[in-house]
Structure formats: C-alpha cells, structure tokens
Amino acid sequence: MEVNDFMSVVDWSRAQFAMTAIYHWLFVPLTLGLGFIIAFMETIYYKTGDEFWKRTTKFWMRLFGINFAIGVATGIILEFEFGTNWSNYSHFVGDIFGAPLAIEGIMAFFMESTFIAIMFFGWNKVSKGFHLAATWLTAIGANLSALWILVANAWMQYPAGTAFSVETARNEMTSFWDVLLSPVAIDKFLHTTTSGYVLASVFVVGVSAWFLLRRRDRRMARCSMVIASVFGLVSAVFLAFTGDSSGVDIARTQPMKLAAMEAHYDGEHGAPLVAFGILRPEAGRTNNDDAFYWKIQIPKLLSVMSFHDADAFVPGINDLLDGNPEQGILSTREKIDRGRVAIGELAVYRDAKQRGDTAAMQAVIGKFDASTAEGRTFLDEYYRYFGYGYLSSPGQTVPDVPLVFYSFRVMVGAGIYFIALFAVLLVLLYRRTIEHRRWLLWVTLWSIPLAYIASQAGWIVAEVGRQPWVVQNLLPTVAAVSRIDAGSVMVTFFIFVALFTTLLIAEVMIMTRQIRIGPDKPEKK
Amino acid sequence: MTKQILMLIGWAVLIYVTYRLSVWAVRRYERSEPAEDPGAPGSEPGA
C-alpha cells in the first residue's frame, strides 16, 4: 500500500467518523434535556390533575419521540465504525473502551428503550404514577447512556486506570473506578449533558415563541417557556462552572489543545486570554506577536482559567514543539524518539517469542511492569510517549489552530448569550410583556440553530483539539485506523452523507409538521 | 475520587433543584396570570 493511499484511509475514516458523530449529536442533546423538561411537566400533571398539563406533556413528548428514533439510527452506526474503520484502535484499547460501551448498551439504553415504550403507549393503560415513573426513568436512562459514552470518550482524552500488556500488545483495565471516576470523565459528563439541557431549553422556548408569534396555544407556550427558561438559565450557569473545570483538566492533561484553543504560541507566566481576535494565515503565525491581525486580550485570565493562579506558566505551541527545559517540557522530537524506544521493545519481545527466548521475553515484560522500580521508570520515561513513536514529524502534534480557536469562541459566546436570553425571557414573562416584544420572539425562535451550532462547536474543540491522538499520547489516528481500501471508506462516506441528510430532512419535516399541528385540543364536556 | 462522587451527586441535586424551581416558577406565573392576558394581542383558540 502506498503512503498516500494509507493517508487517504486515515483522512476518509476521520471524515466519516466526524460526519457520523456530528449528525448523531444533532439528535442526542435534545433527548438529554427534553426528557427532563417533559418529566417536570408530567409531574405537575400528576400533582394537579390539570388536563392542560397532560396535553402539554404529550405535545413535547411527540417531538421527543421523533428525535429519539432518528438519533438511535445514527448512534448505532458510530459504534460499528469502531470495528470497521478503527480496528487497530479497537484491538489496542478494546478491553477498556468496550466496558463502558457494553454497560451503556445493556443498562442505560435498555432501560431507556423499555420505559420509553411505556411513556408513549402507556397513557390510560398504566396508572398515572407508573407512567410518571416511566417518563422520569426514560430521562434518567438517556442521561446514564450519555454517562457511559462520555466515560469512554474521556478515557481517550485521559487514559486512566489502565496498564499495557506486552504479551497481547493491548491496554488492559486495572481499575474500573479509575476509568469511571476520572476527573476528566466526570467533568465531561457534567459539561456535555448540561449543554444538552441548554439546547433543549432553547428548543422549547424557540418553539413556544413560534406559537406566541402565531397567537395560538398561548397558555401552553407561555408555561413551557417559563419551565424551559428556568431549566435553561440554571443549566447555562452550571455549564459555565463545568466549562471552567474542563479548562483546568485540559491545561493539565492536553496542553497542546489548550494552546490551540488560544492560539497561544509562546508560553508565559500570567498569560492573557484572547477574548476575540482574527488569526493570520498559518505561515504568518510563529509567535504570540504575529499570530493575530488584531485581538482583544484580558490580562492574566488564561493563567487563572487554566491553573486558578494569575501568575501560572501556560505553555505555548512553540514550548511544546521545541521543549522548554526551564519548565521541564520535553521537545516533541525527544518524545518521538522515546516513543520509538517503547515501540521497539515490542519488536524485541516478538523476536524473542519467535526464538523461544524466555529470558529476553521476561526482560521486556519487566520493563512494562509498574510494580517494579525499573518498570515504573521505563513506563514514565518511555511508554508514556508510546504514540509519539508513530509520528514522522513534530508538526503532526499541532491541531488545526483556527478551527479550534474560533469554535471555542462560538461555544463560549453562545453560552453567554443563552444566559442573557433565558434571564430576559423570564423577566418579560413575569411582566406579561413578552408578547409585545415580537422581535424578541423572532430572536428566540432563530436562536434554535445557534444552540445546535454552539453544541457542535464544543465537540469540535474537544475532538479536533486533541488531534492527532485517538488515545492521548498513546495512539495517533495514523496507527489506529483499519488497513482497508481508501475507496471503500470514501464510498460509504458519501452513502452515509446521503442517508443522514435524508434522516435529518425527514426529522425536520416531521417535527415542523407536528409543531404546526400543536397540542391536542381539550375534550368538550 | 471523592470529589468526583460528590460531583455526580451534585448533578442529581441539580436536576431536583431545577425541577422544584421550575414547578415553583410556573405555578407562581399561573397564579398571577389573568384568565385572558388583557394586554396581549390575539385570542386563545382552543383554550
């Protein structure tokens, strides 16, 4: 296989996975948040017996169901792609990555799927209390499902609770609890699910604004807007806190991602945060002074956000590439050399095994044994850079800076906007003047796409920002991809584009039709 | 690890608090809501 063909496989496989994930994430966040909003509404119906709340709950439940069904289709394809496109990755870390995925499927998804059936078809067939429990369990199940998927994703960003086995050339889980309760996993779960709550709240206030603009079903629209604005406001504020926590994680575990997010080229103490700026083309970006055409900076804020210390040193892209001995940062070239030493030990082991040289095999196994001093030294000085050994040049460790930089600002800017939007909506709802502000209702309606763009931007920061790594520092994409023909990945890429676009168009059409139909009319007495 | 367990419990508390807050907010809103909003344009078909 030619090198160019091989690179195409990586590129096409990345494109296919990214495209599937982007489509999947169009459906998931609404499920995460709308499930709870529906549960809140049905609880009011359960407590008051007011049929208005039953009709309101059923209306939003219809939209939830459409979204859920189409979301599942894209999610299943993602899981298959681990095997088809990323088989080396699946071999290398399947023992760890498979566990949370299996729990997600067996526990959370089954729970969600079982109770969703009662939620949709159980009205007037089961008791009100049992139906309410099914609705809550569907919402909780959807969020638990997200927990396990995000635990798996977080492990790729911060591989904890694992040990490398030379005999199998695989990573094996040493502590389930370290994987589940790693700081990155919990921060990622809280940040991601909360972003889903904000998106769902924007969806509900946006659709409610449409009803108010059309001057129909106004009580349903206003009450839904109150509930969603409260849920959205609290979630958006919480989102800011979890974002801060995630920032600290990134500074500690993925310094290159942080440097790319900030287009931060030269490390410094008391680093400023670029609130906004326009980047120069790549060739012109070599240091902090020439990286931007213009920028607005907030002094010391990057150090504060990264390490909660105004004078902390934040390494830049140049420090990470060239090394900074003063700060104890190795150059990427040095890491590549050390990674190659670790990979070389695997070749030594394979040769020894072929020769039947048990002593040589044991010598290599000893180097990867964390229970001995020699093993710990080797793991710390060489194996931790294992993935670098697959790279051909230090420049490969720098992600797409403009994409990550601008995506981060879209995400944060939209988050601040949503806090203001929910607060303004609540004030105007209580003042009874919301329906006089028709321009605001239009703004609220057109905020729905912004919520989706912001949510996708967050994932772009997380995933593009960690390139070239599939598993941070241990496995780059170039070593994780399946050895298959680039043409076949390309063909399936376009098939999936057509399929998912059709699904998306179908979802939007069915959703808008159901929204136009509106909630059930009250029965005449 | 204790911090992470507390954060997970915090997530459950957040959902509960938000639920209580939403219910309180909408009930308060409904209590002070006139049967038909006199200042608002349009009518309420189906109400």
Side-chain angles (χ1 to χ4, degrees):
Chain A
M1 186 181 287
E2 295 294 320
V3 171
N4 285 341
D5 289 343
F6 182 61
M7 288 311 293
S8 316
V9 174
V10 176
D11 294 341
W12 279 113
S13 296
R14 281 187 60 197
Q16 188 175 94
F17 198 87
M19 182 267 298
T20 316
I22 284 171
Y23 271 97
H24 185 52
W25 193 248
L26 287 173
F27 306 105
V28 174
L30 183 60
T31 303
L32 296 177
L34 194 55
F36 280 125
I37 292 174
I38 291 167
F40 295 173
M41 290 172 171
E42 191 176 340
T43 308
I44 300 175
Y45 165 62
Y46 177 79
K47 288 190 169 177
T48 62
D50 184 347
E51 288 292 317
F52 160 77
W53 283 107
K54 184 178 179 182
R55 292 194 300 276
T56 303
T57 304
K58 286 178 85 172
F59 169 68
W60 294 112
M61 207 174 263
R62 277 210 310 269
L63 304 185
F64 177 91
I66 297 160
N67 187 68
F68 180 86
I70 299 179
V72 169
T74 50
I76 288 170
I77 291 172
L78 265 182
E79 299 208 8
F80 282 120
E81 284 178 10
F82 288 122
T84 55
N85 297 24
W86 304 100
S87 57
N88 283 342
Y89 161 80
S90 298
H91 169 81
F92 191 62
V93 299
D95 283 358
I96 299 155
F97 195 78
L101 283 191
I103 298 171
E104 189 267 337
I106 293 166
M107 193 191 93
F109 187 67
F110 277 11
M111 173 178 163
E112 192 183 353
S113 307
T114 305
F115 288 105
I116 206 170
I118 299 168
M119 192 172 104
F120 284 117
F121 306 113
W123 291 105
N124 306 323
K125 294 187 180 69
V126 296
S127 71
K128 277 168 72 176
F130 188 66
H131 192 276
L132 177 65
T135 304
W136 272 100
L137 287 169
T138 301
I140 293 168
N143 280 263
L144 287 181
S145 189
L147 169 69
W148 294 110
I149 294 292
L150 293 168
V151 163
N153 179 277
W155 184 85
M156 295 156 78
Q157 318 259 354
Y158 176 62
T162 176
F164 183 72
S165 163
V166 184
E167 289 102 317
T168 58
R170 292 163 69 98
N171 278 277
E172 292 170 0
M173 193 184 288
T174 54
S175 167
F176 175 75
W177 298 109
D178 282 353
V179 174
L180 171 61
L181 296 172
S182 90
V184 176
I186 300 304
D187 285 335
K188 186 167 274 293
F189 167 67
L190 294 176
H191 192 61
T192 309
T193 50
T194 317
S195 76
Y197 307 158
V198 172
L199 182 142
S201 301
V202 174
F203 177 83
V204 171
V205 295
V207 172
S208 301
W210 181 82
F211 279 104
L212 293 180
L213 282 166
R214 297 293 298 263
R215 294 167 183 160
R216 51 174 283 208
D217 298 293
R218 286 163 50 220
R219 185 184 171 201
M220 187 277 293
R222 287 186 305 231
C223 288
S224 298
M225 214 178 233
V226 170
I227 289 179
S229 295
V230 170
F231 188 47
L233 183 59
V234 175
S235 300
V237 171
F238 189 70
L239 188 63
F241 282 104
T242 55
D244 172 70
S245 206
S246 295
V248 174
D249 291 336
I250 291 169
R252 196 167 51 86
T253 60
Q254 297 173 305
M256 184 60 91
K257 183 195 280 186
L258 180 71
M261 281 161 65
E262 291 303 318
H264 184 56
Y265 282 82
D266 301 319
E268 56 188 312
H269 291 276
L273 181 99
V274 178
F276 194 73
I278 302 292
L279 286 164
R280 287 183 192 278
E282 188 176 1
R285 281 184 267 122
T286 56
N287 58 54
N288 285 351
D289 295 327
D290 68 10
F292 294 90
Y293 285 115
W294 64 269
K295 60 185 171 183
I296 302 167
Q297 289 192 137
I298 304 171
K300 294 184 182 286
L301 192 57
L302 183 57
S303 288
V304 172
M305 287 175 65
S306 307
F307 297 100
H308 292 169
D309 174 357
D311 293 318
F313 180 84
V314 181
I317 291 170
N318 292 336
D319 299 272
L320 297 163
L321 284 177
D322 304 331
N324 184 333
E326 210 174 285
Q327 297 297 326
I329 299 170
L330 286 181
S331 70
T332 304
R333 175 55 64 192
E334 175 67 21
K335 291 176 184 174
I336 289 173
D337 291 341
R338 293 189 182 203
R340 286 176 182 169
V341 170
I343 293 169
E345 290 297 328
L346 293 185
V348 172
Y349 179 85
R350 272 197 306 272
D351 287 347
K353 195 175 178 183
Q354 277 175 356
R355 293 195 316 271
D357 186 346
T358 342
M361 286 165 65
Q362 286 304 322
V364 177
I365 290 170
K367 289 184 178 177
F368 288 84
D369 184 357
S371 65
T372 66
E374 183 209 12
R376 280 193 295 275
T377 306
F378 184 83
L379 289 171
D380 190 51
E381 292 186 358
Y382 294 94
Y383 178 69
R384 69 187 291 194
Y385 306 113
F386 187 86
Y388 284 89
Y390 292 104
L391 303 178
S392 53
S393 73
Q396 287 177 288
T397 58
V398 184
D400 186 323
V401 174
L403 184 57
V404 178
F405 175 85
Y406 291 120
S407 297
F408 181 64
R409 271 137 198 89
V410 167
M411 176 185 73
V412 174
I416 294 167
Y417 162 74
F418 291 137
I419 291 176
L421 178 69
F422 293 130
V424 168
L425 287 177
L426 274 175
V427 169
L428 294 181
L429 279 161
Y430 277 95
R431 285 186 179 173
R432 315 279 163 198
T433 55
I434 187 84
E435 290 175 74
H436 300 299
R437 308 281 203 287
R438 293 182 68 78
W439 64 269
L440 181 65
L441 294 174
W442 280 112
V443 168
T444 306
L445 175 60
W446 285 105
S447 294
I448 296 175
L450 179 62
Y452 282 93
I453 291 168
S455 194
Q456 297 287 353
W459 273 113
I460 288 170
V461 173
E463 299 304 302
V464 177
R466 73 171 156 120
Q467 291 305 314
W469 304 114
V470 177
V471 181
Q472 186 70 34
N473 296 349
L474 296 182
L475 190 69
T477 46
V478 71
V481 75
S482 303
R483 269 49 175 179
I484 50 177
D485 179 46
S488 60
V489 186
M490 187 180 72
V491 168
T492 49
F493 173 86
F494 287 112
I495 291 172
F496 287 154
V497 166
L499 185 69
F500 294 155
T501 306
T502 307
L503 281 175
L504 182 63
I505 292 168
E507 152 128 348
V508 172
M509 285 175 67
I510 298 168
M511 279 268 200
T512 47
R513 185 166 184 275
Q514 288 300 322
I515 291 167
R516 283 203 178 94
I517 291 169
D520 297 340
K521 301 301 172 209
E523 289 173 16
K524 286 184 181 164
K525 292 178 182 173
Chain B
M1 203 174 274
T2 310
K3 185 186 167 198
Q4 277 70 49
I5 293 169
L6 288 174
M7 286 170 80
L8 276 180
I9 295 169
W11 167 72
V13 171
L14 174 85
I15 298 297
Y16 179 72
V17 168
T18 316
Y19 151 68
R20 293 301 298 255
L21 204 58
S22 301
V23 172
W24 172 81
V26 80
R27 281 187 174 167
R28 189 167 176 271
Y29 178 79
E30 287 259 89
R31 264 202 298 274
S32 58
E33 172 76 355
E36 188 63 34
D37 191 343
S43 59
E44 179 90 58

